[in-house]
Amino acid sequence: MKPTNIKDPEYFHKVIDCQYACPSHTPVPEYIRLISQGKYDEAFKINWISNVFPGILGRICDRPCEPACRRTRVEETPVAICRLKRVAADFKSDSTDFMPEVPQEKNGRKIALIGGGPASLTVARDLLPLGYTIDLYDDQSKAGGFIRTQVPSFRLPEKVLNQEVDRILNMGVTTHFNHYIDNLQTIIDKGYDAIFVGTGAPRGRDLPNLPGRQEGDASIFIGIEWLASVLYRHVTSTPEKVLVLGGGNTAMDCCRTARRLGGEDVRVIVRSPRADMKASPWEIEDAEEEGIPIIDNHSPIDFVIEDGQLIGMHFQKMTADYDENGKRTLLPADEAPVFMACDQVILAVGQQNAFPFIKPESNIAINKYGLPELDETTYQSSVPNIFFGGDAAFGPKNVITAVAHGHQAAISIDLFCQGKDLHVRPAPWTNLVNQKMGIQDWMYDSQVSTDKRYAVPTVDRVKSLKNRLVEVELGFSKKTGHEEALRCLNCDVQTVFEHSTCIECDACVDICPEFCINFLENGDEEDLRTRLLAPADELSQSLYVSPPLPTGRVMVKDENVCLHCGLCAERCPTSSWEMMQFTYNSAVAGQK
Amino acid sequence: MSFERPDFRHPKLAKNSAGYSRKDYEGAISTLCAGCGHDSTTSALIQACFELSIEPHRVAKMSGIGCSSKTPAYFLSRSHGFNSVHGRMPSVATGANMANRDLLYIGISGDGDTASIGMGQFAHALRRNLNLNYICMNNGCYGLTKGQDSATADKGSAGKKGKPNPYTSIDLCELAIELGASYVARGFSGDKTQLVPLIKGAIAHNGLAFIDVISPCVTFNNTSTSTKSYEYVRDHIEATNTFDFVPLQQEILAHYPEGTSQEVVMHDGSIIHLHKADSSKDVTDRMKCVNNLELEKSKGRLLTGLLYVNPEIMETHDIINSTLRPLNSLTEADLCPGNNALQMINASLR
């Protein structure tokens, strides 16, 4: 293999599994380290710069970082990254020092944001400090988009939501609430320099052709609409027996909300096997802990109506068949239909994009999936000054993806308004700082904690099931947060190898607890992976290869389960190994 | 500074046939200088014991004084051990061995502990062919007292102080062959592919197995003028042979080219396969072995590998015809066989 180019910012970035997996590339180990030091303000600031909504995401994030966490490969459970984010938000002071200055004198550019969700708010946050004038249009009375209407209060209290949304609005966004745009052309005609569409995927899927759908309409609801009705108190109770159809997070929110509004026998019915459910494992767990059974492999046949009243549903049991490519086909099992009695059905079987406000006269190209034709890097549509982001761009994803889109769209809009090439993106800001503090002493806590993942305390179930406004999770205390933070393996503190000073004494090989380090004859990657001291079969993890050493051999380090404990550097007599903290901050709008 | 290693080990590492993982053979974290050759030797010992599936509680680690003699703290922490007086490891090992012949004895010593203060002890353990794995971590200097030349420092070699050693060095391997050791090898801490099989062969050997491990002192004797530096040893190393150690009851799978291979069947039935570049280097002929060493020395080369082996020589217990059982297993009936036995002895003398 060729020597690894550690000057490429993406090499060490990839070693920081959590940050690499995060769509917004939040510097996770750095903020976790600050939490362990009790520096909540600093930890919050890092989060706020990167993911804009630490308090919200610390509760409801989809956490792509956690399955990526190195600890899952070293032991069973990842660091509770998401809940530590909440620790930073919970314990930060009231100081607003982290807020950037918004210039009084504007740069003369006006931007319209359609939809007040996380993507639009991120664009506003990124562009306001650069002097842009921002107009935000939303058909609701408050900003937040689907975070507000779809996420129940027992997962995200309104107070937290308002705090984080208002923080951005108060930077100087001109808001136009209760203002439904029925034709985008009216905004285009106002002569904005750029328009950002962040309207989400607002339409919940229905099952219109299922027999009995029309007759039972009074007792059948679309999940996301029902959740919004609960929020606005149009719905305040449910009957005793409720069936929730669907296997995603919306289904989990619906069933848990129904449980709080009077549903005694609430069940979730999923078409596919449980393993294929889209809902996050922790949300499924939370639902089950509230006494809600998840019944998988049941496909709906019809709504059963008696005397004009919905009394239940029939389901066909299914079996999943996987071909050699892992592609799944659901086949009806050879069994009689199952009847389940119910008084109400909530359909949470997916969401779709809808752009009824985009008329042909605006010339925005829409592809065969009903989504706008976009440049995948710049999010620019076929109309050069119109950009899309969040669920409205590439279909329903999650909040952190919407935030990442917002950052990129803000960069694009800023470049566009300056007449620059949108594809010449600003580079990430990186830095590599030696952690040496003396002989064999480091600036970071190199001891590896063997503690198991700490559970987040919750309120009494009886109390929380009585009131949908009571937040279930209490969040970590400062003490537990500290202990959990110490579980982080400091993957941003890189093991950097200098081949020219190495005397090949093997000290690093001998001390490494994980057998990551090898000195051997070079070969191609496939060959090297078979010859290392420990199995190197995790192909997604890089091999760090040095230039040839005096004996003709090379150093090969498998990054897979490195604990970043610093022992290789401590035992190196020539400081050929150094522990260096790698900082990777994604580019932001206005960055040179 | 770390005082202990993290608890985690690579999740995909295998266990050996005794059910132990490599971690079960480790010891405390080393307090020797970073880069010390002794740590690599320790690591090779751990690897050899792991690969041979030795039960840690059936091992006794004996040592004297010095950097090398500290290392039993850094491997096999579940084994027995005795850290004895300077240079007296062979006596203590002899006593322990006499009392319990069932344990595996690993004697750790250094060049000071062996070739200076302990020379007399060393010589007599060799003579008796004590069943002991004697590993000498040889760095040519007294590292624990700031690097003075030891008795194995080559004439003309200069350490950190810069003054060339004026005296003739002692070649411990030649001495061992001379004085009756039945397994003599030389390794280099920086070459575990050679050292691990050497240690495995020594463990399988019945009798005194002596391994002189050139183990550079990174602090005091790793200079460009030293003949025991990493660089010098790598440049001047000459191997008698490369070899595979095939433990008892294990199928021989490797294929060896004819004429260059020599098989040595060990006492316990395991086999050492030697692959030799030069077929004249017979390792079972004592005179030739000493000649080989001298010949390479005259060329300025350092001969390593298995230098001499003779599985036929009797070890101490066989020579003195001692009991086959550990002393702690002997009962009163064994030790006082009674009047009848006494009468029989007396009768035989009449």
Side-chain angles (χ1 to χ4, degrees):
Chain A
M1 281 176 82
K2 283 201 188 119
T4 303
N5 176 19
I6 58 167
K7 296 246 160 63
D8 175 358
E10 293 307 314
Y11 180 76
F12 283 144
H13 184 203
K14 189 160 174 275
V15 175
I16 316 171
D17 296 292
C18 46
Q19 185 176 5
Y20 192 70
C22 175
S24 261
H25 303 309
T26 301
V28 176
E30 174 64 8
Y31 84 69
I32 290 185
R33 194 157 39 242
L34 289 167
I35 289 170
S36 77
Q37 295 164 356
K39 296 178 180 167
Y40 305 113
D41 283 6
E42 287 91 331
F44 181 85
K45 182 179 176 182
I46 286 177
N47 271 294
W48 189 74
I49 290 172
S50 172
N51 54 49
V52 192
F53 306 104
I56 296 170
L57 289 167
R59 291 170 167 85
I60 63 157
C61 189
D62 250 18
R63 333 174 187 172
C65 51
E66 292 194 13
C69 176
R70 183 175 305 264
R71 256 192 121 87
T72 60
R73 305 194 297 274
V74 171
E75 50 140 337
E76 295 94 36
T77 47
V79 176
I81 301 171
C82 181
R83 293 318 184 242
L84 285 171
K85 193 191 306 295
R86 176 174 168 182
V87 167
D90 281 358
F91 297 114
K92 80 172 198 60
S93 71
D94 293 333
S95 155
T96 51
D97 289 351
F98 60 88
M99 298 288 286
E101 207 173 307
V102 177
Q104 290 296 315
E105 199 178 317
K106 300 297 174 188
N107 67 4
R109 305 288 189 177
K110 288 187 78 177
I111 314 294
L113 307 176
I114 316 299
S120 289
L121 291 172
T122 303
V123 175
R125 205 281 309 264
D126 285 2
L127 292 182
L128 282 166
L130 303 177
Y132 287 88
T133 305
I134 307 283
D135 285 357
L136 184 142
Y137 297 88
D138 197 301
D139 62 346
Q140 304 288 319
S141 59
K142 285 174 177 172
F146 279 16
I147 311 179
R148 185 178 297 277
T149 57
Q150 271 184 39
V151 182
S153 297
F154 56 84
R155 286 213 293 134
L156 175 63
E158 197 185 359
K159 195 178 141 208
V160 176
L161 175 65
N162 287 345
Q163 209 173 32
E164 303 221 309
V165 169
D166 291 346
R167 189 178 288 134
I168 295 165
L169 297 182
N170 293 341
M171 286 169 76
V173 179
T174 312
T175 54
H176 303 268
F177 290 133
N178 301 315
H179 189 124
Y180 180 69
I181 311 284
D182 52 6
N183 186 350
L184 189 62
Q185 194 59 38
T186 59
I187 301 291
I188 299 171
D189 292 343
K190 286 187 179 174
Y192 284 103
D193 292 281
I195 298 167
F196 176 81
V197 182
T199 50
R203 191 166 287 171
R205 275 188 56 203
D206 200 346
L207 297 172
N209 301 325
L210 221 57
R213 174 69 184 88
Q214 297 304 325
E215 297 86 326
D217 191 53
S219 304
I220 301 167
F221 298 89
I222 303 294
I224 57 172
E225 291 168 10
W226 183 77
L227 285 170
S229 305
V230 172
L231 173 81
Y232 292 120
R233 294 188 163 81
H234 303 317
V235 169
T236 51
S237 68
T238 57
E240 200 186 309
K241 289 184 192 144
V242 181
L243 293 183
V244 176
L245 269 55
N249 285 338
T250 304
M252 298 305 121
D253 285 339
C254 288
C255 68
R256 294 177 69 192
T257 303
R259 197 75 180 81
R260 283 161 172 76
L261 295 182
E264 289 294 332
D265 176 9
V266 180
R267 302 180 200 190
V268 175
I269 318 291
V270 190
R271 236 180 123 233
S272 59
R274 187 190 171 106
D276 295 349
M277 281 171 66
K278 286 211 176 98
S280 312
W282 51 89
E283 300 213 9
I284 299 176
E285 241 168 67
D286 289 347
E288 286 185 320
E289 271 173 27
E290 291 178 358
I292 301 163
I294 313 279
I295 299 161
D296 65 351
N297 290 321
H298 278 65
S299 181
I301 298 173
D302 59 6
F303 297 96
V304 183
I305 315 289
E306 213 177 79
D307 302 332
Q309 194 70 32
L310 177 78
I311 57 154
M313 283 188 80
H314 279 117
F315 294 92
Q316 174 65 54
K317 281 188 97 176
M318 306 298 278
T319 49
D321 193 42
Y322 297 87
D323 68 12
E324 61 254 25
N325 300 324
K327 199 176 174 306
R328 190 194 75 193
T329 1
L330 283 180
L331 300 169
D334 190 17
E335 280 178 56
V338 180
F339 175 76
M340 284 189 215
C342 68
D343 311 316
Q344 182 177 317
V345 172
I346 300 170
L347 300 173
V349 289
Q351 270 168 254
Q352 286 167 323
N353 287 77
F355 299 100
F357 56 93
I358 296 179
K359 311 287 183 201
E361 63 186 290
S362 303
N363 291 319
I364 297 172
I366 302 285
N367 67 20
K368 59 178 175 180
Y369 305 108
L371 293 164
E373 291 275 9
L374 297 180
D375 182 307
E376 287 190 7
T377 314
T378 64
Y379 305 149
Q380 189 179 35
S381 72
S382 60
V383 178
N385 73 334
I386 300 182
F387 299 81
F388 284 74
D391 288 355
F394 305 107
K397 292 255 167 51
N398 52 39
V399 181
I400 188 68
T401 305
V403 170
H405 287 176
H407 286 310
Q408 290 306 319
I411 291 173
S412 298
I413 291 169
D414 184 42
L415 292 171
F416 178 79
C417 289
Q418 296 176 68
K420 290 184 180 164
D421 182 353
L422 266 55
H423 283 96
V424 182
R425 316 289 289 179
W429 184 88
T430 62
N431 201 6
L432 198 58
V433 178
N434 203 325
Q435 296 295 290
K436 194 172 244 175
M437 217 161 59
I439 296 174
Q440 304 172 348
D441 216 355
W442 311 110
M443 284 158 70
Y444 74 105
D445 193 348
S446 64
Q447 304 295 321
V448 175
S449 160
T450 49
D451 290 2
K452 297 282 177 216
R453 183 178 167 121
Y454 289 86
V456 181
T458 52
V459 291
D460 177 58
R461 183 162 309 137
V462 177
K463 194 177 151 198
S464 75
L465 286 179
K466 264 191 201 142
N467 183 350
R468 69 171 179 91
L469 298 178
V470 171
E471 188 177 12
V472 173
E473 289 196 3
L474 295 169
F476 284 135
S477 65
K478 281 186 180 179
K479 185 175 172 293
T480 322
H482 173 79
E483 302 288 331
E484 182 65 32
L486 290 182
R487 292 180 71 237
C488 176
L489 293 172
N490 300 294
C491 297
D492 60 337
V493 180
Q494 306 288 346
T495 53
V496 182
F497 182 70
E498 174 52 57
H499 74 285
S500 65
T501 48
C502 174
I503 59 169
E504 300 176 62
C505 67
D506 272 5
C508 51
V509 180
D510 297 333
I511 197 71
C512 177
E514 295 280 15
F515 302 94
C516 299
I517 304 169
N518 303 264
F519 287 83
L520 71 175
E521 304 297 324
N522 206 346
D524 59 32
E525 181 170 349
E526 207 179 320
D527 163 53
L528 276 178
R529 282 187 182 273
T530 63
R531 290 193 282 126
L532 302 189
L533 289 173
D537 46 12
E538 192 63 53
L539 300 181
S540 63
Q541 292 287 318
S542 314
L543 296 183
Y544 180 3
V545 182
S546 78
L549 296 158
T551 57
R553 300 180 300 172
V554 288
M555 186 290 299
V556 180
K557 181 191 166 214
D558 181 9
E559 300 279 11
N560 185 17
V561 289
C562 171
L563 302 170
H564 299 255
C565 63
L567 281 173
C568 50
E570 285 187 23
R571 298 305 297 168
C572 180
T574 59
S575 294
S576 297
W577 284 107
E578 296 274 26
M579 302 309 291
M580 295 198 186
Q581 189 191 340
F582 179 70
T583 309
Y584 180 104
N585 292 337
S586 297
V588 289
Q591 184 173 309
K592 295 289 175 283
Chain B
M1 182 174 172
S2 301
F3 300 98
E4 51 190 32
R5 285 173 125 190
D7 251 6
F8 296 120
R9 293 293 176 274
H10 198 293
K12 287 185 181 157
L13 286 184
K15 292 197 166 182
N16 63 19
S17 61
Y20 294 103
S21 68
R22 195 180 182 282
K23 190 182 177 186
D24 298 319
Y25 295 88
E26 291 174 1
I29 199 167
S30 169
T31 55
L32 297 171
C33 306
C36 179
H38 298 1
D39 288 335
S40 288
T41 313
T42 304
S43 173
L45 259 162
I46 291 169
Q47 188 64 26
C49 291
F50 167 73
E51 287 178 16
L52 289 179
S53 301
I54 285 165
E55 294 177 302
H57 64 280
R58 304 301 301 161
V59 178
K61 311 170 288 182
M62 321 300 286
S63 70
I65 296 293
C67 297
S68 57
S69 295
K70 286 174 73 179
T71 63
Y74 315 140
F75 65 89
L76 291 172
S77 57
R78 299 182 185 185
S79 300
H80 308 280
F82 197 107
N83 192 197
S84 78
V85 187
H86 205 353
R88 271 58 187 164
M89 181 276 282
S91 305
V92 181
T94 306
N97 191 311
M98 289 302 104
N100 187 349
R101 61 188 295 174
D102 279 0
L103 296 184
L104 171 71
Y105 291 92
I106 299 175
I108 303 290
S109 185
D111 42 328
D113 200 56
T114 295
S116 297
I117 195 168
M119 185 54 116
Q121 302 252 326
F122 176 56
H124 292 285
L126 294 172
R127 276 179 64 231
R128 294 174 185 140
N129 197 27
L130 184 71
N131 189 12
L132 167 71
N133 300 291
Y134 194 121
I135 291 170
C136 177
M137 300 182 183
N138 184 353
N139 58 18
C141 73
Y142 301 144
L144 213 54
T145 54
K146 302 213 167 171
Q148 298 85 350
D149 292 326
S150 78
T152 62
D154 290 314
K155 196 172 178 181
S157 170
K160 196 179 176 188
K161 229 173 180 180
K163 201 174 160 206
N165 171 38
Y167 307 114
T168 304
S169 69
I170 294 174
D171 186 324
L172 291 171
C173 288
E174 273 186 46
L175 203 64
I177 297 170
E178 187 85 12
L179 292 178
S182 44
Y183 180 106
V184 179
R186 180 176 282 140
F188 169 45
S189 69
D191 183 2
K192 283 201 207 70
T193 48
Q194 183 192 48
L195 186 55
V196 174
L198 284 178
I199 296 172
K200 284 160 79 177
I203 290 173
H205 179 71
N206 205 30
L208 197 133
F210 177 74
I211 308 178
D212 179 29
V213 184
I214 308 299
S215 174
C217 174
V218 78
T219 302
F220 295 109
N221 207 7
N222 194 34
T223 53
S224 56
T225 49
S226 163
T227 58
K228 286 196 171 50
S229 67
Y230 281 107
E231 202 182 339
Y232 184 92
V233 176
R234 284 216 169 90
D235 286 348
H236 295 79
I237 205 160
E238 198 69 54
T240 50
N241 40 58
T242 57
F243 78 92
D244 286 339
F245 175 79
V246 183
L248 177 66
Q249 292 169 339
Q250 195 167 313
E251 202 181 344
I252 298 167
L253 294 168
H255 178 75
Y256 308 107
E258 238 175 275
T260 61
S261 175
Q262 184 181 3
E263 253 182 31
V264 182
V265 181
M266 305 300 284
H267 191 81
D268 66 356
S270 40
I271 297 167
I272 291 177
H273 277 275
L274 300 151
H275 323 297
K276 296 182 288 186
D278 178 356
S279 55
S280 69
K281 284 181 178 151
D282 185 354
V283 294
T284 52
D285 184 319
R286 206 163 133 201
M287 263 167 39
K288 276 189 188 160
C289 293
V290 176
N291 274 345
N292 287 339
L293 278 165
E294 283 295 325
L295 188 70
E296 293 299 330
K297 210 185 284 177
S298 70
K299 290 193 256 175
R301 308 294 292 176
L302 180 74
L303 195 62
T304 61
L306 182 57
L307 304 171
Y308 172 68
V309 62
N310 185 346
E312 304 305 321
I313 303 179
M314 287 205 286
E315 63 124 324
T316 317
H317 280 288
D318 302 331
I319 297 169
I320 65 174
N321 196 21
S322 57
T323 174
L324 296 173
R325 286 155 56 194
L327 300 190
N328 62 10
S329 70
L330 298 180
T331 60
E332 197 180 338
D334 297 319
L335 296 170
C336 299
N339 195 34
N340 283 347
L342 180 65
Q343 293 309 326
M344 275 166 69
I345 293 169
N346 285 344
S348 73
L349 296 173
R350 285 204 178 94

